[in-house]
Amino acid sequence: MNKFMRILTGALAGLVLAGGLAGGASAAASPTIPSGSKGAIAGGGASFPNDQYQKWITDITAAKSANFGSDSSTKLVLTYTKSSSGTGKANFYGANARGTWMFSGSDSLLDAAQRTSAAAIPGGYIVVPMTAAPVAVITHVSGYSKQILLNAEIICGIYAGDITAWNDAKIVALNPGLSSVSTTIVPVARDATSGTTFIFASYLAKGASSAQRNCSYHSGWDNADTTFTAHSGTIKPADAIMATRFSAMRTAKGAAAIQSKTGNDGIRNYVSATDGTIGYVEMAYSFAADVKTAKIATATKYTSGANKGKPAYLAPTQSGATNAVERQARTLAAAKTAAAKAENDPVNPALTFFQPVLQSGLYTYPIVGFSWLLVYKNYESTVTNAPTLGQVKGLVYFLHWSLTSGAVYTASGVPCFAPLPSSVKARVLTELKLVKYDNAKVWP
């Protein structure tokens, strides 16, 4: 080998090594699983990311069949049970902690009271984003074949009971073809504490008009407040049951009750079967007969041309979600103060209000949310139903593999989930190295 080739080869090797170390995910640094490891690695909670997790579980089981399989007596068996973010968090700490699940899914971070409860977890915990996806606003309006254009002010007005028919003037201003459709609007919401609701509420809290400052998610709001009075203080979405939150407000205005349904699929199925309805679901659940996906106004408006001063209207897509999380990551990278960094940092369990909603850009979908996993920092062999070291190493291996090799799930030919930005992914991989078994790191 001549001198030039030796120099070039050495330089390339150095770049590869530096790149692997910087990303925290080189092949040599990957987690390992002890030979003969077996048992269940069970998790559950948020339904929002369920399809992505199920795809990862299927793919890693096929790709790493020497370690993972369907028989827990001989292999490691991965499972994720969808329910709700509220259930995921409730099963992570307190009386239900470590009962059946080794990890929990949630689309909202722990609030102050939940962090206080979780502080009792021996060894602590980590909260890591695993994926992101758009929330679709779905409608069923017989006789109207177009996608309905909406914005946060109109959606908030619908759920609060101020806009009750599809030919309301504010809706018709954006959708002239609805002027003759007097069908009553039937809003549909989740019947339990829900991360999908939290993402949707985060969007409303940020995007509704100043006259709608409460929008049911102001820090000083309560069910008895039937008007959008201008309170002072910070607008924060609540990890709450949306139908309950709005019930008194709607009753006082003579509006029909919100229909409460279980899970994303419960909302999707009801909207599909019921004329006049509107609901919100993770994008993967929006594909159904008799359901149309609304187009939502972007945060950025056109600066020139025929649409100058007007927003774009976008349906949910993977690219629109990717734009949102990447813009949020750039904002974090450019932040100058600790407070600004914390406000934009998805790998931060102290946050209570964080979702990449209403990010700038004409091609950025405005209702996008991260989905997090809650993972114990120290798994102890002495507790009831304790996992083995092999199970814990298998969990860390699975999470590492999902972030570095997992395929993006596609529903009906349309990608639904957005991969994490590289800077966020690197932070998550660093967090996974904090996980221990009997106080010894499982991925040194």
Short mmCIF file of all heavy atoms in Angstrom, two decimals, residues 48 133-137 151-152 155 196 198-204 280-281 283 294-297 314 316-317 320-321 324 355-359 364-369:
data_model
loop_
_atom_site.label_atom_id
_atom_site.label_comp_id
_atom_site.label_asym_id
_atom_site.label_seq_id
_atom_site.Cartn_x
_atom_site.Cartn_y
_atom_site.Cartn_z
N PHE A 48 -51.30 5.14 21.63
CA PHE A 48 -50.78 5.99 20.55
C PHE A 48 -49.64 5.31 19.77
O PHE A 48 -49.67 5.24 18.54
CB PHE A 48 -50.33 7.31 21.17
CG PHE A 48 -49.81 8.35 20.22
CD1 PHE A 48 -50.66 9.22 19.56
CD2 PHE A 48 -48.44 8.50 20.02
CE1 PHE A 48 -50.16 10.21 18.71
CE2 PHE A 48 -47.94 9.48 19.17
CZ PHE A 48 -48.81 10.33 18.52
N ALA A 133 -45.38 10.90 16.30
CA ALA A 133 -46.38 10.68 15.26
C ALA A 133 -47.39 11.83 15.27
O ALA A 133 -47.53 12.54 16.27
CB ALA A 133 -47.10 9.35 15.47
N PRO A 134 -48.09 12.02 14.16
CA PRO A 134 -49.13 13.04 14.11
C PRO A 134 -50.43 12.55 14.73
O PRO A 134 -50.73 11.36 14.69
CB PRO A 134 -49.33 13.28 12.60
CG PRO A 134 -48.40 12.38 11.89
CD PRO A 134 -47.89 11.36 12.87
N VAL A 135 -51.17 13.47 15.30
CA VAL A 135 -52.55 13.21 15.70
C VAL A 135 -53.45 13.71 14.58
O VAL A 135 -53.36 14.87 14.17
CB VAL A 135 -52.90 13.90 17.03
CG1 VAL A 135 -54.41 13.82 17.31
CG2 VAL A 135 -52.12 13.28 18.17
N ALA A 136 -54.30 12.85 14.07
CA ALA A 136 -55.23 13.21 13.01
C ALA A 136 -56.56 13.67 13.61
O ALA A 136 -57.04 13.07 14.58
CB ALA A 136 -55.47 12.03 12.09
N VAL A 137 -57.12 14.71 13.04
CA VAL A 137 -58.49 15.11 13.37
C VAL A 137 -59.38 14.47 12.31
O VAL A 137 -59.22 14.74 11.11
CB VAL A 137 -58.64 16.63 13.37
CG1 VAL A 137 -60.10 17.03 13.64
CG2 VAL A 137 -57.73 17.26 14.43
N ASN A 151 -58.79 24.94 12.10
CA ASN A 151 -57.68 25.50 12.86
C ASN A 151 -57.97 25.32 14.34
O ASN A 151 -59.04 24.85 14.74
CB ASN A 151 -57.44 26.97 12.49
CG ASN A 151 -58.68 27.83 12.70
OD1 ASN A 151 -59.44 27.64 13.65
ND2 ASN A 151 -58.91 28.79 11.80
N ALA A 152 -57.02 25.70 15.19
CA ALA A 152 -57.16 25.46 16.63
C ALA A 152 -58.34 26.23 17.22
O ALA A 152 -59.04 25.72 18.10
CB ALA A 152 -55.87 25.85 17.35
N ILE A 155 -61.53 24.27 16.32
CA ILE A 155 -61.60 22.99 17.02
C ILE A 155 -61.89 23.21 18.50
O ILE A 155 -62.73 22.52 19.10
CB ILE A 155 -60.28 22.21 16.85
CG1 ILE A 155 -60.08 21.85 15.38
CG2 ILE A 155 -60.31 20.93 17.70
CD1 ILE A 155 -58.70 21.28 15.07
N THR A 196 -52.81 10.72 23.90
CA THR A 196 -53.29 11.31 22.65
C THR A 196 -54.08 12.57 22.94
O THR A 196 -53.94 13.59 22.24
CB THR A 196 -54.17 10.30 21.87
OG1 THR A 196 -53.49 9.06 21.74
CG2 THR A 196 -54.51 10.83 20.49
N PHE A 198 -53.56 14.43 25.53
CA PHE A 198 -52.56 15.41 25.98
C PHE A 198 -51.91 16.12 24.79
O PHE A 198 -51.72 17.34 24.81
CB PHE A 198 -51.50 14.72 26.83
CG PHE A 198 -50.51 15.68 27.43
CD1 PHE A 198 -50.75 16.28 28.64
CD2 PHE A 198 -49.32 15.97 26.77
CE1 PHE A 198 -49.84 17.17 29.20
CE2 PHE A 198 -48.40 16.86 27.32
CZ PHE A 198 -48.66 17.45 28.54
N ILE A 199 -51.57 15.36 23.75
CA ILE A 199 -50.98 15.98 22.56
C ILE A 199 -51.98 16.92 21.91
O ILE A 199 -51.65 18.06 21.54
CB ILE A 199 -50.53 14.89 21.57
CG1 ILE A 199 -49.45 14.02 22.18
CG2 ILE A 199 -50.04 15.52 20.26
CD1 ILE A 199 -49.18 12.73 21.43
N PHE A 200 -53.21 16.45 21.75
CA PHE A 200 -54.28 17.26 21.16
C PHE A 200 -54.51 18.52 22.00
O PHE A 200 -54.65 19.62 21.47
CB PHE A 200 -55.54 16.40 21.10
CG PHE A 200 -56.72 17.02 20.40
CD1 PHE A 200 -56.64 17.40 19.07
CD2 PHE A 200 -57.91 17.21 21.07
CE1 PHE A 200 -57.74 17.95 18.42
CE2 PHE A 200 -59.02 17.76 20.43
CZ PHE A 200 -58.92 18.14 19.09
N ALA A 201 -54.53 18.36 23.33
CA ALA A 201 -54.73 19.49 24.23
C ALA A 201 -53.56 20.46 24.18
O ALA A 201 -53.74 21.68 24.29
CB ALA A 201 -54.94 18.99 25.66
N SER A 202 -52.35 19.93 24.01
CA SER A 202 -51.18 20.80 23.88
C SER A 202 -51.32 21.71 22.67
O SER A 202 -50.99 22.90 22.71
CB SER A 202 -49.91 19.95 23.75
OG SER A 202 -49.70 19.15 24.88
N TYR A 203 -51.81 21.13 21.59
CA TYR A 203 -52.05 21.92 20.37
C TYR A 203 -53.10 22.99 20.61
O TYR A 203 -52.92 24.16 20.24
CB TYR A 203 -52.46 20.97 19.25
CG TYR A 203 -53.15 21.65 18.09
CD1 TYR A 203 -52.44 22.44 17.20
CD2 TYR A 203 -54.52 21.49 17.88
CE1 TYR A 203 -53.07 23.06 16.13
CE2 TYR A 203 -55.16 22.10 16.82
CZ TYR A 203 -54.42 22.89 15.94
OH TYR A 203 -55.06 23.51 14.90
N LEU A 204 -54.21 22.62 21.24
CA LEU A 204 -55.27 23.60 21.50
C LEU A 204 -54.79 24.69 22.44
O LEU A 204 -55.07 25.88 22.23
CB LEU A 204 -56.50 22.91 22.10
CG LEU A 204 -57.26 21.93 21.21
CD1 LEU A 204 -58.45 21.36 21.95
CD2 LEU A 204 -57.70 22.60 19.92
N TYR A 280 -60.29 12.77 17.43
CA TYR A 280 -58.84 12.90 17.27
C TYR A 280 -58.21 11.54 17.59
O TYR A 280 -58.55 10.89 18.58
CB TYR A 280 -58.28 14.00 18.17
CG TYR A 280 -58.62 13.79 19.64
CD1 TYR A 280 -57.76 13.09 20.48
CD2 TYR A 280 -59.81 14.27 20.16
CE1 TYR A 280 -58.08 12.88 21.81
CE2 TYR A 280 -60.14 14.06 21.50
CZ TYR A 280 -59.27 13.36 22.31
OH TYR A 280 -59.59 13.14 23.63
N VAL A 281 -57.31 11.10 16.72
CA VAL A 281 -56.66 9.80 16.89
C VAL A 281 -55.23 9.90 16.37
O VAL A 281 -54.91 10.75 15.55
CB VAL A 281 -57.38 8.68 16.12
CG1 VAL A 281 -58.76 8.41 16.69
CG2 VAL A 281 -57.46 9.00 14.62
N MET A 283 -52.41 8.95 13.93
CA MET A 283 -52.62 8.83 12.49
C MET A 283 -52.88 7.39 12.03
O MET A 283 -53.69 7.14 11.13
CB MET A 283 -51.42 9.40 11.75
CG MET A 283 -51.49 9.30 10.24
SD MET A 283 -49.96 9.85 9.49
CE MET A 283 -50.19 9.28 7.81
N ALA A 294 -59.18 15.67 8.49
CA ALA A 294 -59.22 17.11 8.26
C ALA A 294 -57.82 17.64 7.96
O ALA A 294 -56.81 17.05 8.36
CB ALA A 294 -59.79 17.81 9.49
N LYS A 295 -57.77 18.76 7.25
CA LYS A 295 -56.51 19.46 7.04
C LYS A 295 -56.44 20.60 8.06
O LYS A 295 -57.40 21.34 8.24
CB LYS A 295 -56.43 20.01 5.62
CG LYS A 295 -56.28 18.94 4.55
CD LYS A 295 -56.07 19.56 3.18
CE LYS A 295 -55.78 18.50 2.13
NZ LYS A 295 -55.53 19.09 0.79
N ILE A 296 -55.28 20.73 8.71
CA ILE A 296 -55.12 21.65 9.82
C ILE A 296 -54.21 22.81 9.42
O ILE A 296 -53.19 22.61 8.76
CB ILE A 296 -54.54 20.94 11.05
CG1 ILE A 296 -55.36 19.66 11.35
CG2 ILE A 296 -54.53 21.86 12.26
CD1 ILE A 296 -56.82 19.91 11.67
N ALA A 297 -54.56 24.01 9.85
CA ALA A 297 -53.79 25.21 9.51
C ALA A 297 -52.40 25.16 10.13
O ALA A 297 -52.23 24.80 11.29
CB ALA A 297 -54.53 26.46 10.01
N LEU A 314 -52.67 21.29 6.11
CA LEU A 314 -52.02 20.00 5.90
C LEU A 314 -52.77 18.86 6.56
O LEU A 314 -53.27 19.00 7.68
CB LEU A 314 -50.60 20.04 6.49
CG LEU A 314 -49.61 21.06 5.93
CD1 LEU A 314 -48.28 20.94 6.68
CD2 LEU A 314 -49.40 20.88 4.44
N PRO A 316 -52.25 14.98 8.14
CA PRO A 316 -51.11 14.38 8.82
C PRO A 316 -50.32 13.46 7.91
O PRO A 316 -50.89 12.66 7.17
CB PRO A 316 -51.77 13.60 9.96
CG PRO A 316 -53.16 13.34 9.49
CD PRO A 316 -53.54 14.52 8.68
N THR A 317 -49.01 13.58 7.95
CA THR A 317 -48.10 12.72 7.20
C THR A 317 -46.85 12.49 8.04
O THR A 317 -46.55 13.25 8.96
CB THR A 317 -47.67 13.35 5.86
OG1 THR A 317 -46.98 14.59 6.13
CG2 THR A 317 -48.85 13.60 4.95
N GLY A 320 -44.59 15.53 7.56
CA GLY A 320 -45.03 16.68 8.35
C GLY A 320 -44.66 16.54 9.81
O GLY A 320 -44.31 17.52 10.48
N ALA A 321 -44.72 15.30 10.33
CA ALA A 321 -44.32 15.04 11.72
C ALA A 321 -42.81 15.14 11.88
O ALA A 321 -42.31 15.69 12.87
CB ALA A 321 -44.81 13.67 12.15
N ALA A 324 -41.71 18.61 12.25
CA ALA A 324 -42.00 19.16 13.57
C ALA A 324 -40.93 18.79 14.58
O ALA A 324 -40.42 19.66 15.31
CB ALA A 324 -43.38 18.68 14.05
N GLN A 355 -44.65 19.02 23.99
CA GLN A 355 -44.93 18.29 22.76
C GLN A 355 -44.58 19.24 21.61
O GLN A 355 -44.77 20.45 21.72
CB GLN A 355 -46.39 17.84 22.66
CG GLN A 355 -46.78 16.70 23.56
CD GLN A 355 -46.10 15.38 23.21
OE1 GLN A 355 -45.26 15.31 22.32
NE2 GLN A 355 -46.46 14.33 23.91
N PRO A 356 -44.05 18.73 20.51
CA PRO A 356 -43.64 19.59 19.39
C PRO A 356 -44.82 20.03 18.53
O PRO A 356 -44.87 19.79 17.33
CB PRO A 356 -42.66 18.70 18.62
CG PRO A 356 -43.15 17.31 18.89
CD PRO A 356 -43.66 17.33 20.30
N VAL A 357 -45.80 20.67 19.17
CA VAL A 357 -46.99 21.14 18.45
C VAL A 357 -46.77 22.55 17.91
O VAL A 357 -45.98 23.33 18.46
CB VAL A 357 -48.24 21.11 19.35
CG1 VAL A 357 -48.56 19.69 19.77
CG2 VAL A 357 -48.05 22.00 20.58
N LEU A 358 -47.47 22.87 16.83
CA LEU A 358 -47.43 24.19 16.20
C LEU A 358 -46.01 24.69 15.97
O LEU A 358 -45.69 25.84 16.22
CB LEU A 358 -48.22 25.20 17.04
CG LEU A 358 -49.73 25.25 16.75
CD1 LEU A 358 -50.41 26.26 17.67
CD2 LEU A 358 -50.00 25.63 15.30
N GLN A 359 -45.16 23.80 15.48
CA GLN A 359 -43.83 24.22 15.05
C GLN A 359 -43.95 24.97 13.74
O GLN A 359 -44.90 24.81 12.99
CB GLN A 359 -42.93 23.00 14.89
CG GLN A 359 -42.66 22.26 16.19
CD GLN A 359 -41.88 23.09 17.19
OE1 GLN A 359 -40.79 23.58 16.89
NE2 GLN A 359 -42.43 23.25 18.37
N THR A 364 -44.97 21.79 7.89
CA THR A 364 -44.88 21.17 9.21
C THR A 364 -46.28 20.95 9.75
O THR A 364 -47.02 21.91 10.00
CB THR A 364 -44.09 22.07 10.18
OG1 THR A 364 -42.78 22.29 9.65
CG2 THR A 364 -43.98 21.43 11.55
N TYR A 365 -46.65 19.69 9.95
CA TYR A 365 -47.97 19.39 10.49
C TYR A 365 -48.02 19.87 11.94
O TYR A 365 -47.11 19.61 12.72
CB TYR A 365 -48.26 17.90 10.39
CG TYR A 365 -49.66 17.53 10.82
CD1 TYR A 365 -50.76 17.89 10.04
CD2 TYR A 365 -49.88 16.83 12.00
CE1 TYR A 365 -52.05 17.56 10.44
CE2 TYR A 365 -51.17 16.49 12.40
CZ TYR A 365 -52.25 16.86 11.61
OH TYR A 365 -53.52 16.54 12.01
N PRO A 366 -49.11 20.53 12.35
CA PRO A 366 -49.11 21.22 13.65
C PRO A 366 -49.48 20.37 14.87
O PRO A 366 -49.30 20.84 16.00
CB PRO A 366 -50.12 22.34 13.46
CG PRO A 366 -51.04 21.84 12.41
CD PRO A 366 -50.23 20.98 11.49
N ILE A 367 -50.00 19.16 14.70
CA ILE A 367 -50.40 18.35 15.87
C ILE A 367 -49.54 17.09 15.89
O ILE A 367 -49.90 16.05 15.32
CB ILE A 367 -51.89 17.98 15.84
CG1 ILE A 367 -52.77 19.14 15.39
CG2 ILE A 367 -52.33 17.52 17.24
CD1 ILE A 367 -54.25 18.82 15.29
N VAL A 368 -48.40 17.18 16.54
CA VAL A 368 -47.43 16.09 16.56
C VAL A 368 -47.00 15.86 18.01
O VAL A 368 -46.83 16.81 18.77
CB VAL A 368 -46.19 16.43 15.70
CG1 VAL A 368 -45.13 15.35 15.81
CG2 VAL A 368 -46.61 16.62 14.24
N GLY A 369 -46.83 14.60 18.37
CA GLY A 369 -46.41 14.29 19.73
C GLY A 369 -45.37 13.21 19.81
O GLY A 369 -45.34 12.28 19.00
#
